[in-house]
Amino acid sequence: GEDFGRFRRLLASAAERGLMVQTGYMWRYHPAMRAALEAARQGWLGHVYALRATIDKPLSARERMELAAFRGGMMFELGCHMIDRAVELFGTPAKVTGILRHDGPFGDALADNTLAVLEFGRAMANIYVAAHHPTGNRNRTLEVLGTNGSIAVRPFHPARLHTDLKQAAGPYAAGTASAEIANGPLPTYGEDFLEMARVIREGAKPAYTAGHDLTVQAVLLEACGFSNEEIGQ
């Protein structure tokens, strides 16, 4: 949703009642994306200075009209998932810049060619989301770059992990390599439900805090053209 204050009140109410709110970010438990972020955290990529992500998804006329109701258009629809990955890796950005364009030959108001640039202390992320490429699903990419090389997920399903390293690090050899990353015995998003079960049955702590979710939402809204006053920051 676009109402940041309402989301904040929802999370506060859940905390007061000892309840869990699990947001539906699609690739939090994606095995290839987890591997990419682990490589960054472990130092295998050297100093990590950038994250690049691209999603392009062709839409029907009906889908376009539905999404046009939201100010951020494609950034609001799909960029949120990549912003979530960038915030997990780098934390809260110091500056957020959103570019929301309508460039398709369609008679609607959908922001269908969008870019978000997130600036951090010693790194940046650029997230590009559009609604045009006829085979956009197989070109979806998340890439993390460091001074020892890069690791990329492309496509997301079936997941393939690509490495390009100057020196071998962790489980990855020097040079270029590519491998399919199996999701294991679980169905897609199965790990999300297992985490919820652990929280409910065992009292486990969720992997993502309410603070993280609030940060992601604030960054998303800013990338979608909302001012700090509108967000309530």
Side-chain angles (χ1 to χ4, degrees):
E2 296 176 313
D3 189 332
F4 185 78
R6 186 176 181 184
F7 182 49
R8 182 162 48 196
R9 291 192 297 273
L10 170 68
L11 293 177
S13 175
E16 290 171 0
R17 298 163 64 188
L19 300 176
M20 174 191 185
V21 175
Q22 186 185 69
T23 53
Y25 285 107
M26 297 164 58
W27 296 299
R28 283 185 168 179
Y29 303 93
H30 187 287
M33 292 198 192
R34 292 175 81 166
L37 266 61
E38 179 190 24
R41 292 195 192 98
Q42 294 292 337
W44 299 334
L45 303 179
H47 166 63
V48 174
Y49 60 88
L51 178 149
R52 299 190 297 211
T54 299
I55 300 177
D56 202 325
K57 176 184 178 180
L59 299 176
S60 68
R62 178 179 178 180
E63 289 173 315
R64 290 183 61 92
M65 290 298 294
E66 290 173 350
L67 291 179
F70 297 96
R71 189 187 303 185
M74 294 309 296
M75 183 57 63
F76 189 80
E77 161 72 351
L78 290 173
C80 59
H81 302 286
M82 297 294 94
I83 288 173
D84 180 62
R85 301 296 78 226
V87 169
E88 178 171 353
L89 180 59
F90 294 125
T92 303
K95 183 179 179 181
V96 177
T97 304
I99 300 174
L100 308 171
R101 295 174 57 94
H102 173 82
D103 292 332
F106 307 96
D108 56 43
L110 176 67
D112 57 12
N113 202 13
T114 67
L115 174 69
V117 178
L118 315 181
E119 298 180 48
F120 303 90
R122 297 181 62 202
M124 63 186 295
N126 67 76
I127 297 164
Y128 172 69
V129 188
H132 302 300
H133 201 297
T135 59
N137 284 335
R138 66 171 177 252
N139 292 298
R140 293 181 173 190
T141 303
L142 178 138
E143 183 178 22
V144 184
L145 300 97
T147 53
N148 189 43
S150 62
I151 187 167
V153 183
R154 186 179 60 254
F156 296 173
H157 296 291
R160 290 197 69 83
L161 194 66
H162 309 267
T163 53
D164 185 358
L165 300 181
K166 180 180 180 181
Q167 297 179 342
Y172 305 111
T176 60
S178 178
E180 186 166 324
I181 306 298
N183 198 46
L186 294 175
T188 304
Y189 315 125
E191 183 59 38
D192 306 49
F193 289 96
L194 288 182
E195 171 163 293
M196 181 175 284
R198 289 191 291 269
V199 171
I200 295 170
R201 294 176 176 175
E202 304 167 15
K205 290 186 177 181
Y208 296 91
T209 65
H212 173 87
D213 285 349
L214 284 170
T215 297
V216 171
Q217 187 70 6
V219 173
L220 171 64
L221 292 178
E222 192 171 354
C224 290
F226 287 76
S227 67
N228 286 336
E229 290 73 21
E230 290 176 294
I231 298 171
Q233 292 283 77

